[in-house]
Amino acid sequence: MTSEAGGAGDVPRADVLVVGPLANVDLALAEALSRNGLRCLVVRSARAGMPDPAAPPIPLRHLTSDRILANRGHLWFLARCRRVRFIVSATGSLLGFLGPLWFLRRWLGIPPHMNITTGADITEMALEGSLKGFLFRRLLRAAAFNWIPTTTHALAALRRLRLTNVAFMRFPMPLRGMADAAGPAGPVTYLHCSHLDWGLTDNKAGRNSTKGNDRFFRAFARAVADGADIRCIVLDRGPDRIAAREALRRSGCEQRIEWRPATDQAGLARMFAEADVVVDQFDAGFFGWTAWEAMSQAKAVLIHLDPECVDLLYDGAPPVLSCRSEEEILRQIMDHQDREALRALGDAARTWVWRNHGSDADMAEFVFRICVASGLEPPGRATAVAGR
């Protein structure tokens, strides 16, 4: 392997530098880009921590552990930037890694960059009147392109900012193979694993990255009262977790609820086997990482999908239980009490998510955009499928 002097050990040569550890987006993108022929480095802060090479948080088959580096400060990071041709930054992480050097980027030889927005960064922070919001808008406008999730509020933010250097692409998820499990028995089991957040506790002005899960709990309680044989596992996480406990206690269905502590991605993957239906969100209008992972495990997903958001990426409606209002959620719960029908929906969901997100469906465009912006020669693609 060809290396260069790195000041503290050898650093492999690379075309692309990737930063932004939220939900391991950095590892997922570097793995996909490596699979498609680009040499990548990932740099992580001490706060994010380094992945365990023996048990990485997501499957890594093309990105090797020597290409995942711990950050050693602004000047060290600048040196890494100047030795690559392009930077991929998630959630504005490039600003933090460069610090004050960001303002001198045009004179310091920092290569072009793109930004991946993941949620509240584009729907809230990009619209703030704060210094953080101002800097993030500058990052977005200076990018070669921005990968934007097609959520309802993200699209509204694009219109408000009049941001045109954007791309909508299907994220190449590092999906896991099916877990070996017999599946749940007894009552139809719901797994509520999204943040407990409907804007009750954290309700600052301009906030819109809520989940709307208070509507699910009201609908769930009504379904129990109407005789539905159901139960729900709830992860104890999110700003409205105390309010959720109190609301469920008052609802009279507390005996149908099992509380679990928050867990990591690996723990959540194991928990999917206990559920018939995974509950996502009812405000964003589009998928998040958890919903795709649940679908890969052949689970039915209860979620709000906005047709405008869906039509920007997919042909036809995804096989999920789509709903938004309390009445719609109640109707989906009452209409889907047949476990075999839920399993059939889960099988369809698994096929769909592997075709759209377990493959490199849009990576050819992503790699081409990077090559155009950086002057790199387009590499040969190693494979079209992320692996099962």
Side-chain angles (χ1 to χ4, degrees):
M1 180 182 296
T2 305
S3 301
E4 62 183 26
D10 290 341
V11 176
R13 291 189 181 277
D15 306 307
V16 178
L17 179 63
V18 184
V19 293
L22 181 65
N24 294 304
V25 167
D26 54 351
L27 301 181
L29 256 297
E31 168 71 11
L33 291 171
S34 300
R35 186 169 61 245
N36 283 271
L38 291 177
R39 299 177 300 177
C40 294
L41 286 179
V42 173
V43 174
R44 287 196 150 193
S45 66
R47 180 180 178 182
M50 298 292 286
D52 181 354
I58 62 174
L60 298 177
R61 299 181 178 88
H62 298 82
L63 179 69
T64 53
S65 59
D66 63 317
R67 291 182 170 273
I68 306 172
L69 310 176
N71 187 34
R72 296 183 175 90
H74 299 319
L75 290 175
W76 179 91
F77 182 75
L78 172 63
R80 304 284 78 71
C81 289
R82 294 179 64 174
R83 289 177 171 86
V84 299
R85 301 283 291 277
F86 196 80
I87 300 171
V88 174
S89 168
T91 62
S93 295
L94 182 60
L95 292 171
F97 278 93
L98 282 174
L101 299 177
W102 162 257
F103 299 100
L104 302 173
R105 65 191 184 280
R106 293 181 180 176
W107 296 276
L108 293 177
I110 296 173
H113 72 275
M114 63 85 56
N115 188 69
I116 301 167
T117 59
T118 55
D121 51 356
I122 183 64
T123 67
E124 296 176 9
M125 184 168 63
L127 303 176
E128 288 179 2
S130 64
L131 176 61
K132 182 187 293 186
F134 171 77
L135 291 174
F136 188 59
R137 288 190 294 275
R138 293 291 297 269
L139 178 81
L140 295 175
R141 298 192 188 285
F145 64 102
N146 296 283
W147 189 340
I148 307 291
T150 58
T151 66
T152 302
H153 292 296
L155 298 183
L158 293 185
R159 297 185 186 104
R160 183 169 168 182
L161 295 170
R162 298 186 180 181
L163 198 66
T164 58
N165 56 337
V166 300
F168 304 129
M169 293 183 283
R170 287 166 286 185
F171 194 91
M173 285 288 296
L175 299 174
R176 303 172 188 270
M178 281 285 289
D180 293 328
V188 171
T189 300
Y190 287 75
L191 172 61
H192 188 292
C193 49
S194 60
H195 277 82
L196 297 165
D197 180 6
W198 54 91
L200 181 65
T201 305
D202 184 359
N203 58 1
K204 66 180 181 181
R207 187 160 188 268
N208 53 42
S209 56
T210 53
K211 307 298 183 183
N213 27 36
D214 57 324
R215 302 194 293 276
F216 167 75
F217 291 126
R218 289 195 298 269
F220 182 88
R222 290 173 62 185
V224 170
D226 288 345
D229 188 18
I230 56 177
R231 62 186 289 265
C232 188
I233 300 168
V234 183
L235 295 196
D236 192 8
R237 55 188 293 218
D240 291 328
R241 48 194 286 270
I242 304 301
R245 282 183 179 271
E246 179 60 21
L248 288 168
R249 186 190 64 79
R250 293 195 308 266
S251 72
C253 70
E254 194 174 23
Q255 72 279 7
R256 303 290 187 98
I257 304 295
E258 179 187 349
W259 288 90
R260 301 271 186 94
T263 186
D264 57 16
Q265 285 176 292
L268 184 58
R270 291 190 294 270
M271 209 174 291
F272 288 145
E274 301 181 55
D276 297 290
V277 182
V278 173
V279 183
D280 195 65
Q281 55 71 36
F282 305 99
D283 284 346
F286 195 66
F287 293 103
W289 190 298
T290 299
W292 287 325
E293 287 190 326
M295 295 172 79
S296 76
Q297 297 302 302
K299 297 301 174 182
V301 172
L302 192 72
I303 187 173
H304 164 52
L305 295 182
D306 185 328
E308 179 189 19
C309 301
V310 169
D311 289 348
L312 285 170
L313 280 188
Y314 309 119
D315 296 325
V320 299
L321 303 175
S322 183
C323 46
R324 186 177 190 185
S325 69
E326 181 181 330
E327 293 297 329
E328 291 171 341
I329 298 169
L330 175 62
R331 191 176 310 121
Q332 292 285 24
I333 294 173
M334 297 303 294
D335 289 349
H336 293 88
Q337 299 183 60
D338 182 338
R339 178 165 278 137
E340 290 305 315
L342 287 172
R343 285 173 178 165
L345 178 61
D347 289 340
R350 183 173 188 269
T351 299
W352 181 91
V353 80
W354 273 101
R355 183 174 66 248
N356 284 279
H357 293 281
S359 69
D360 286 337
D362 289 336
M363 284 304 293
E365 178 183 346
F366 188 43
V367 170
F368 180 76
R369 284 174 175 265
I370 289 175
C371 291
V372 168
S374 64
L376 286 165
E377 287 294 321
R381 299 180 72 202
T383 181
V385 180
R388 294 180 184 240

